[in-house]
Amino acid sequence: MDRQTKIRQVWDSFIYCMSLSWKSSKFYTVMQLLTMICAALAPVLMTCNTKEILDLPGSVHTENAAEQLILRIGMQFLLAMVQLVAAKAGSYAAVMQQSILMHNVELDMARTALEMELEYFDNSRYYDAFEAVKRDIYSVPGAVFNGISVISVGISVCSCAILLGMVSPLYTGMVLAASIPAAFSEHTYTKKIYLWGLEHIREERKMQYLYRTTTERAYAQEIRLYGTGQYLLDKYQRLWDMYFSEKRTVARARALWNLGLSALPESLSAAAMVHIGIKIIHGERTIGDFILYSGLLTQLIAGLGNLVSAVMELYEKKLKLNHFSEFQAMAKEKKKNGTKKLESPVTIEFRNVSFRYPDTEQYVLKDISFCLQQGKKLCMVGENGAGKTTILKLLMRFYEPQEGLILINDIPIGEYDRESLYQAFSCFFQKACNYAFHLQENVRISQIGYDEETAKKRQEEALRKAGADTLLKKLKNGTQTYLSRAYSEDGIELSGGQNQKIALARMFYRDAPVLVLDEPTADLDPQGEHELFHTLAEECRETSILFVSHRLANVFLADEILVMEDGHILARGRHEDLLQDCVLYRRLFHYQADKYRRRGEYENSSNR
Ligand code: ADP
């Protein structure tokens, strides 16, 4: 990249940061700018004033001396006060503005995450980028602050350089020139360290994951039971040691180069002081001049260092901001959407669908074809990993099949507007995931917008259908019970089966013509399981249902059962036919039937 492009980039970053700042708060932007300008000018003016104070004895008549001295010291005090107020007010404005900015970028990030295709969460490459962006957004407020501080440091450097240039253009030019190599080295290492950080984001993620396993509730039981805490910490430590030693190498090189190159202007400044000192000895300069030169030189060198750091930080943060905007654009671009509105799905058809997950070699679905007519029930059974859940994910358009078509009312689902497509479905996913909200909110969140009367009616009905009404009766705060103890003292923790019932209630609450259920009874007790299938059979006659179940004794409600094996449909038909014709189905059924029979015999014998 040539120098002009780099300068242009820094300029662009500056403009970008200033516009972000302006958009987030005009008041705090102006406040920061004013305070920073005052903070930059005050020390320069104070140095000039000090020279005047020192030179007073030789330059004024004795009768005016006291008056002049008081005036100058008064000015010094005033400037010191300006500097103090500017520093305090500036940091107040910076804190306020950073909070607003952080809030804005987090909102932006949340919106971006909501726009992302589901496959982003599966693919480690996308996930790396996602994590990098999540991390980088925290640099946005800093970048804006940098943008503003570049102005103040710039003003300070310019005023010092102009004043110094008026008395000694040679030294000013030499100090300015001597600062260039340090700026180059800073630039090179800024970029190097940023790219190094990007390359190592996966290690960082792995470390964060290990950290989370030791601190989060999900793993707490197992870690204690198996005593794996130290094992996980050691793993974390090994990763950290490798990560840190590499990071240290790059950071050390940066520090050494900067140290060496920053010594150059300092040496020139020392030479200049010697030169002025000699002139003072020869009576050509005053002590006041010495204080003025040394003060301005020190401020110029420090200012140049700060300017280089501020500009480089701006450059680094712009790299991160670029990353953020590229990711936002990518998330939006990826989102495929059709335009057709889906009114009511009469038929859902998979036609010769084959699919492999993005960036994987192996097909997990091969030539899948089936059709679900309105009001019919279709069940998928088969061993783990056969591809049942994947079929549901494709129907929800979380992924696109590589081959074949998925049609609703004979139109490929890709042509439908997603919102209208999703409006047709209500789903229960395998890992029932409730929200740390009130029970009522957990149920109602699947369909926002009902009037209170309808919402109340649907909620009661949904809880009853899901078999959660008995649970509700036991709750002191009823539907206002908070479903987590992590955020509320009188919140509760639900059992696996109870959790599942609330998630099922959420599914029933939404008024959708198609229900999709993935293993809805995995955590339910036998009575809950029986009641749910009974509800689905008796109370959802008009609703099309596509479900996955391992409880073969309950698939009686299905009009058609697909027996899946290794990504393809091995057999299809009704329960009785499959029992006769399909060896796998018969085997799966008998495993369970035997278990139930043995359990029944055991219960009978213990009742006797
Ligand atoms: P089932 O629901 O029948 O148990 P799935 O549809 O969940 O099976 O999985 C089918 C196959 O797809 C499995 O081999 C599984 O490992 C693989 N699979 C599932 N999800 C992903 C994913 N996100 N990325 C890659 N492979 C996946």
Side-chain angles (χ1 to χ4, degrees):
M1 202 189 297
D2 62 31
R3 195 171 308 153
Q4 248 183 344
T5 323
K6 279 180 188 166
I7 292 171
R8 170 110 217 144
Q9 261 200 358
V10 173
W11 175 249
D12 286 349
S13 332
F14 173 72
I15 297 295
Y16 180 75
C17 289
M18 290 311 293
S19 72
L20 270 185
S21 172
W22 191 249
K23 267 188 241 159
S24 71
S25 163
K26 296 182 182 55
F27 175 74
Y28 290 124
T29 306
V30 172
M31 190 165 168
Q32 277 197 83
L33 277 172
L34 287 179
T35 53
M36 279 187 169
I37 292 170
C38 291
L41 287 179
V44 180
L45 296 176
M46 281 167 87
T47 308
C48 296
N49 201 40
T50 309
K51 170 194 153 45
E52 297 302 327
I53 293 171
L54 288 172
D55 286 348
L56 263 182
S59 64
V60 292
H61 298 298
T62 339
E63 61 270 23
N64 287 341
E67 203 178 296
Q68 286 287 323
L69 189 70
I70 290 170
L71 193 73
R72 289 281 165 194
I73 290 177
M75 271 175 70
Q76 200 75 347
F77 173 72
L78 201 70
L79 286 168
M81 288 313 290
V82 167
Q83 199 176 12
L84 183 74
V85 172
K88 299 292 174 202
S91 65
Y92 161 77
V95 169
M96 290 299 103
Q97 199 185 33
Q98 290 197 13
S99 308
I100 299 174
L101 262 167
M102 205 55 246
H103 166 72
N104 290 348
V105 290
E106 276 184 348
L107 259 182
D108 245 17
M109 190 63 202
R111 288 200 186 102
T112 308
L114 289 174
E115 298 236 343
M116 276 164 42
E117 291 285 340
L118 208 75
E119 65 181 66
Y120 272 53
F121 293 90
D122 284 336
N123 182 311
S124 54
R125 201 159 32 85
Y126 286 141
Y127 215 81
D128 281 347
F130 185 42
E131 284 296 308
V133 169
K134 273 207 284 190
R135 186 193 61 184
D136 288 350
I137 59 160
Y138 291 99
S139 66
V140 173
V144 170
F145 182 74
N146 263 109
I148 297 176
S149 65
V150 163
I151 298 181
S152 88
V153 183
I155 290 173
S156 162
V157 167
C158 289
S159 50
C160 286
I162 291 168
L163 283 174
L164 205 58
M166 278 163 28
V167 281
S168 176
L170 179 69
Y171 281 119
T172 314
M174 276 164 56
V175 167
L176 288 175
S179 304
I180 294 173
F184 264 116
S185 138
E186 191 63 22
H187 170 262
T188 311
Y189 276 100
T190 302
K191 192 160 184 186
K192 218 179 219 179
I193 286 181
Y194 172 73
L195 293 176
W196 183 89
L198 272 191
E199 273 169 29
H200 290 75
I201 190 85
R202 192 158 305 174
E203 277 93 326
E204 275 184 24
R205 273 181 46 212
K206 282 184 186 167
M207 283 189 286
Q208 279 162 15
Y209 168 73
L210 286 166
Y211 168 72
R212 284 203 308 271
T213 56
T214 54
T215 53
E216 279 181 7
R217 183 184 185 166
Y219 300 92
Q221 288 182 2
E222 194 164 307
I223 287 176
R224 276 151 191 77
L225 186 68
Y226 294 152
T228 44
Q230 194 53 45
Y231 172 81
L232 292 169
L233 287 182
D234 290 346
K235 216 170 151 73
Y236 178 91
Q237 188 64 38
R238 276 196 300 278
L239 265 177
W240 163 254
D241 288 343
M242 261 177 352
Y243 173 86
F244 184 68
S245 91
E246 276 192 45
K247 187 171 185 163
R248 189 175 47 199
T249 312
V250 191
R252 203 181 270 167
R254 176 193 200 167
L256 289 174
W257 271 106
N258 280 353
L259 179 69
L261 295 172
S262 304
L264 216 61
E266 290 289 350
S267 320
L268 278 169
S269 162
M273 298 323 299
V274 171
H275 189 77
I276 294 165
I278 293 169
K279 286 196 168 181
I280 293 172
I281 294 169
H282 291 143
E284 294 167 25
R285 293 283 185 206
T286 62
I287 294 286
D289 288 334
F290 185 84
I291 294 294
L292 179 67
Y293 292 146
S294 66
L296 289 177
L297 268 172
T298 312
Q299 284 175 33
L300 180 63
I301 291 170
L304 280 169
N306 290 342
L307 187 65
V308 169
S309 307
V311 169
M312 285 314 131
E313 263 185 58
L314 193 63
Y315 173 72
E316 181 201 345
K317 282 171 181 153
K318 183 62 179 64
L319 291 176
K320 292 181 178 175
L321 294 176
N322 280 348
H323 210 208
F324 181 35
S325 357
E326 277 164 20
F327 188 79
Q328 279 183 311
M330 195 163 73
K332 282 193 182 117
E333 197 178 280
K334 267 252 158 205
K335 192 140 182 144
K336 305 146 203 134
N337 208 356
T339 49
K340 289 200 168 73
K341 297 274 177 226
L342 175 61
E343 299 299 338
S344 159
V346 179
T347 56
I348 296 175
E349 185 186 354
F350 272 55
R351 195 181 288 169
N352 308 110
V353 170
S354 295
F355 173 72
R356 59 186 160 75
Y357 281 95
D359 294 327
T360 63
E361 297 288 314
Q362 211 171 350
Y363 276 84
V364 295
L365 293 179
K366 295 156 217 154
D367 200 19
I368 300 291
S369 297
F370 65 83
C371 186
L372 174 66
Q373 299 287 346
Q374 189 174 16
K376 298 286 176 194
K377 322 290 184 244
L378 189 136
C379 174
M380 288 183 280
V381 302
E383 288 168 328
N384 291 335
K388 305 176 294 291
T389 302
T390 306
I391 288 183
L392 304 184
K393 290 187 201 167
L394 291 184
L395 181 59
M396 298 293 111
R397 278 203 74 201
F398 294 153
Y399 300 89
E400 303 281 333
Q402 282 80 15
E403 290 162 33
L405 285 173
I406 302 171
L407 306 142
I408 296 185
N409 301 347
D410 292 325
I411 295 174
I413 55 169
E415 292 183 22
Y416 288 113
D417 160 64
R418 246 176 227 257
E419 259 180 55
S420 80
L421 177 75
Y422 287 161
Q423 204 56 47
F425 296 98
S426 192
C427 302
F428 172 87
F429 293 109
Q430 210 171 26
K431 289 177 194 141
C433 177
N434 286 314
Y435 301 85
F437 300 155
H438 291 119
L439 188 149
Q440 170 170 300
E441 218 175 341
N442 262 285
V443 175
R444 293 188 182 187
I445 204 165
S446 61
Q447 181 82 65
I448 296 163
Y450 285 134
D451 60 75
E452 182 52 32
E453 201 184 329
T454 317
K456 204 158 171 241
K457 216 167 112 218
R458 287 203 69 86
Q459 176 185 305
E460 273 166 24
E461 202 176 307
L463 285 164
R464 181 188 57 74
K465 282 182 177 169
D469 43 355
T470 38
L471 160 72
L472 193 63
K473 284 188 196 125
K474 289 190 213 153
L475 301 177
K476 183 167 62 112
N477 294 327
T479 54
Q480 291 308 310
T481 306
Y482 210 82
L483 296 193
S484 163
R485 294 184 63 197
Y487 304 98
S488 164
E489 282 72 28
D490 55 0
I492 59 161
E493 290 299 328
L494 295 177
S495 73
Q498 289 169 333
N499 248 318
Q500 208 158 359
K501 285 180 179 176
I502 301 299
L504 282 165
R506 184 157 59 243
M507 178 197 75
F508 282 122
Y509 179 80
R510 187 175 165 91
D511 185 16
V514 186
L515 293 184
V516 173
L517 298 96
D518 193 357
E519 291 272 11
T521 55
D523 287 334
L524 297 189
D525 55 34
Q527 187 180 342
E529 179 187 328
H530 171 78
E531 282 171 5
L532 175 70
F533 280 109
H534 184 78
T535 303
L536 290 174
E538 298 301 320
E539 297 196 45
C540 305
R541 287 183 192 276
E542 303 300 313
T543 314
S544 310
I545 302 180
L546 181 58
F547 68 107
V548 172
S549 182
H550 285 307
R551 309 292 171 96
L552 301 193
N554 282 309
V555 296
F556 63 89
L557 78 115
D559 296 291
E560 188 176 28
I561 299 166
L562 305 182
V563 184
M564 303 273 309
E565 188 186 50
D566 198 18
H568 69 273
I569 299 173
L570 181 72
R572 62 179 80 209
R574 290 195 65 109
H575 176 67
E576 298 74 23
D577 307 328
L578 289 169
L579 266 184
Q580 280 220 315
D581 304 338
C582 178
V583 178
L584 175 63
Y585 187 82
R586 203 163 44 239
R587 204 176 70 220
L588 292 174
F589 179 76
H590 283 301
Y591 281 148
Q592 283 187 6
D594 287 352
K595 211 160 55 185
Y596 279 109
R597 206 176 49 237
R598 276 203 297 274
R599 195 192 291 168
E601 282 166 6
Y602 169 76
E603 281 168 2
N604 285 342
S605 66
S606 37
N607 285 342
R608 252 181 251 137

